[in-house]
Amino acid sequence: MNNTTTKISTMKILQPITIGGVIFKNRTMFPPLTTGYEDKDGNISSQSRAFYTRLAEGGTGYIVLGDVAPVRSFAPTPKLFDDSQIDSFRLLADNVHAYGAKLGVQIFYPEYDVNVLNALFAAGEMQKLRTQLNHDMQHFVNEVSEDALMDIIDKMCACAVRAQKAGIDVIQVHGDRLVGALCSTQMNTRTDKFGGSLKNRTRFALMLVHALKKVVPDMIIDYKLSVVTPERGKGGVDEIDAPEFAQWLEAAGVDMLHVGQANHTGNMADTIPPMGVQPYCFFADITGAVKQAVSIPVSTSGRIINPDMGEGILQNGKADMIGIGRALLADPDWANKAGADKATDIVRCICCNEGCVDNVLNRSFIACVVNPENGFEETRFITPAQMKKNVVVVGGGPAGMEAARVAAKKGHNVTLFETATELGGQLHIAAVPPRKNEIRRAIEDLVHAVHTQGVTLKLGQTANIQSILALEPDAVIVAVGASSFIPPIPGIDRKNVYDAWQVLAGKYKVSGRVAVIGGGVVGCETAEYLATQGCKVSIIEMRDQIGGDISVTVLPSMLENYKAYGVEQYTGYMVTSINNGEVNCKDKNGSIAQIPYDYVVIASGARPVVFDTEALSVKGIEVVQVGDCCEVADISYATKTAYDAANAL
């Protein structure tokens, strides 16, 4: 179970703070994230409004709307470049204020020539547009004229005025993107007054702050101070210069600073690190160094999972406000639960990046894998049962536990069967590979939830028709999952050929030279795991590349490990046979490869487990299947199908 030791009633994170003469009800902050919820024209959609309103309802004190563009751009972000857009922002501000939260808009300018690209788009010259965009992303910071920079400041100020008219409380300057690129020693090679020294490179940022203070003098000015560390980032000031620049920003009139990792590296894992890549609270020390240099409040973010982590940062004097991003996607009631001494009920983020970061990068909207309601706040919420039913859930993996949790919370009487003696299903083996241990939080939180909701558990018992009927169910939810697929390859029945799931579960031990057949998620993770255990690993994959289904923020770390451990990749190869000591393969051109092995591990996908429910249906019992036994997918599919099925009862 997730435990906390801090006495909630005395937590500093829940105490008010005054910033720029305005009282914020607590020190919890939702930092700027690209959500993909906004309308195509940049207006705040009803989906977006519902999401941010839910955060305010859950107790978050300060909410920042990320990447608000002051111009018509191609970025899938909110936009506030026209007076007609003010009303949609006003509706959001009114909703957020109704729960006592403060709302900020993070104004940014993209690092490309918006006017040129808009003209190319209007003319339908898409190839030229793509070429120009690629060029601009590398050179715009050095090619943009001084006159154009002054025009950009005017547009950002006009955006701030519109935000003020909409009732927004805070303007946050995005210190990455174009502003950060100008500050950067790595990206800015200008020789005019905007390049060279720290004073010159930060000139535009300070000019922007001065201009904002003139046009919206009564608004709070927040500045996202993007910091380039020796290991990561490009678009921002170098770590050594951050405290001095922070002092200049304070002198210019900035009311608060949000210190974060600079981006522009091409790898979102630098700024939104997945599980196991960065330590918890990884930017707190750098934030603390900035805080020591200024007298204005400073906030931080970065893998802050539970209230104790945030409280520790505050108590150690490293920040004044705590940014909680992905953790609020997992549980928007984070602050309220902490305040009600129910921190153990918080559904904790597992930092997988699969539903949030990956979705946005794939031009979709964020949707958390452990919180089916995230992104669907308008349509997904648990409704009380009109009639209490006896509900039986078959299977104790993530789908089964989520179904049981929701059904019980609705008011039904729920019994869950699980063949194993513990709950969690395949999540237990998913947590074994390198960097994946944080998946165990999902197991712990679901187990905690089914206990809290009073679900009757029958562990170590395989459900059958007789045992189900004995409970006189009104509805049965089948969540029996999937089993690994063993392809019909000649020689696959050899004694030193094992299934990847069983290897990860510790049932079989392998050593020496290991050939992993299959380069999907399971195969790649198994290969990395075995390599770290000292095996000499080769991966064989029919597709042209491995890891096609792996998060783009996770794959770079995995490939670095492959390089470090000498994992060999045979892509585009089909296994034709497993002989004594050799795996025979051929590619689409007929080239043959013979890969020596001591052990072979099969990771060729999975197939749904069949559970015969005909006898239940004949008796008029409602039966629904959820998760992998419907379609082999991922934890997001498992939890969402389970939630919907249980909520429909």
Side-chain angles (χ1 to χ4, degrees), residues 16 43 56 119 129 146 192 305 310 330 423 607 630:
N43 277 295
L129 185 152
E146 182 175 343
D192 61 1
I305 305 300
L423 296 169
R607 297 291 185 271
C630 292

Side-chain angles (χ1 to χ4, degrees), residues 195-213:
S197 67
L198 177 64
K199 181 178 179 181
N200 282 354
R201 284 181 283 107
T202 59
R203 186 185 302 274
F204 179 80
L206 294 169
M207 290 175 68
L208 173 58
V209 170
H210 282 297
L212 288 169
K213 293 297 289 185

Side-chain angles (χ1 to χ4, degrees), residues 404-421:
R405 177 192 76 85
V406 173
K409 192 169 183 177
K410 286 176 67 69
H412 296 308
N413 178 42
V414 182
T415 301
L416 184 151
F417 284 92
E418 168 55 44
T419 301
T421 56

Side-chain angles (χ1 to χ4, degrees), residues 246 259 286-298 314 317-320:
V259 183
I286 293 174
T287 303
V290 171
K291 177 173 166 55
Q292 294 304 310
V294 297
S295 60
I296 55 177
V298 175
L314 295 176
K318 295 181 179 180
D320 303 285

Side-chain angles (χ1 to χ4, degrees), residues 554-615:
V554 172
L555 190 58
S557 296
M558 177 179 286
L559 294 179
E560 286 178 11
N561 255 0
Y562 280 4
K563 185 176 181 180
Y565 289 102
V567 175
E568 296 182 353
Q569 301 174 35
Y570 292 83
T571 55
Y573 278 88
M574 180 179 67
V575 176
T576 56
S577 65
I578 302 173
N579 294 338
N580 186 22
E582 285 184 341
V583 176
N584 291 332
C585 316
K586 67 177 180 180
D587 67 9
K588 59 186 177 182
N589 297 318
S591 296
I592 303 296
Q594 294 178 319
I595 303 167
Y597 73 86
D598 297 302
Y599 292 91
V600 175
V601 175
I602 306 297
S604 298
R607 297 291 185 271
V609 170
V610 176
F611 187 83
D612 189 358
T613 60
E614 184 178 355

Side-chain angles (χ1 to χ4, degrees), residues 266-544:
N267 182 6
M268 286 297 292
D270 287 340
T271 50
I272 313 179
M275 62 178 76
V277 171
Q278 290 273 37
Y280 298 121
C281 313
F282 71 96
F283 229 68
D285 288 343
I286 293 174
T287 303
V290 171
K291 177 173 166 55
Q292 294 304 310
V294 297
S295 60
I296 55 177
V298 175
S299 63
T300 190
S301 60
R303 282 179 46 80
I304 300 168
I305 305 300
N306 61 42
D308 275 354
M309 291 183 184
E311 185 69 9
I313 294 170
L314 295 176
Q315 294 292 347
N316 290 326
K318 295 181 179 180
D320 303 285
M321 185 172 278
I322 302 300
I324 311 153
R326 290 171 292 177
L328 281 174
L329 306 182
D331 195 335
D333 292 318
W334 197 95
N336 279 349
K337 287 178 179 178
D341 202 11
K342 294 183 178 180
T344 53
D345 291 341
I346 291 174
V347 178
R348 297 167 297 173
C349 170
I350 60 174
C351 296
C352 64
N353 281 0
E354 291 182 12
C356 48
V357 178
D358 288 359
N359 275 12
V360 171
L361 292 176
N362 290 326
R363 296 291 187 238
S364 185
F365 58 82
I366 57 175
C368 181
V369 303
V370 297
N371 176 17
E373 294 176 359
N374 175 230
F376 302 89
E377 286 80 6
E378 291 182 286
T379 56
R380 269 199 187 116
F381 44 88
I382 296 175
T383 55
Q386 295 182 351
M387 180 183 299
K388 187 173 183 177
K389 297 178 179 179
N390 285 335
V391 178
V392 172
V393 177
V394 183
M401 286 192 286
E402 177 67 5
R405 177 192 76 85
V406 173
K409 192 169 183 177
K410 286 176 67 69
H412 296 308
N413 178 42
V414 182
T415 301
L416 184 151
F417 284 92
E418 168 55 44
T419 301
T421 56
E422 62 179 352
L423 296 169
Q426 301 306 326
L427 289 182
H428 286 289
I429 64 172
V432 171
R435 302 177 308 279
K436 298 293 292 295
N437 186 60
E438 294 180 54
I439 284 179
R440 297 193 187 281
R441 284 200 292 272
I443 303 172
E444 293 167 358
D445 291 345
L446 281 168
V447 170
H448 176 73
V450 296
H451 281 290
T452 301
Q453 295 299 329
V455 174
T456 299
L457 299 176
K458 292 186 177 294
L459 302 182
Q461 300 184 42
T462 300
N464 54 41
I465 298 301
Q466 290 72 30
S467 60
I468 293 173
L469 289 176
L471 297 173
E472 300 182 352
D474 301 294
V476 176
I477 299 177
V478 179
V480 291
S483 60
S484 53
F485 172 67
I486 305 300
I489 300 171
I492 204 165
D493 55 350
R494 291 180 178 272
K495 64 178 182 179
N496 49 352
V497 177
Y498 298 137
D499 169 53
W501 289 15
Q502 294 175 326
V503 171
L504 291 174
K507 184 176 181 179
Y508 297 114
K509 300 292 184 182
V510 299
S511 60
R513 299 168 299 176
V514 180
V516 177
I517 299 178
V521 174
V522 175
C524 287
E525 291 182 347
T526 303
E528 185 181 12
Y529 166 70
L530 293 175
T532 62
Q533 299 298 305
C535 299
K536 175 61 177 174
V537 181
S538 301
I539 299 181
I540 309 162
E541 168 57 43
M542 292 177 62
R543 291 175 293 184
D544 292 334

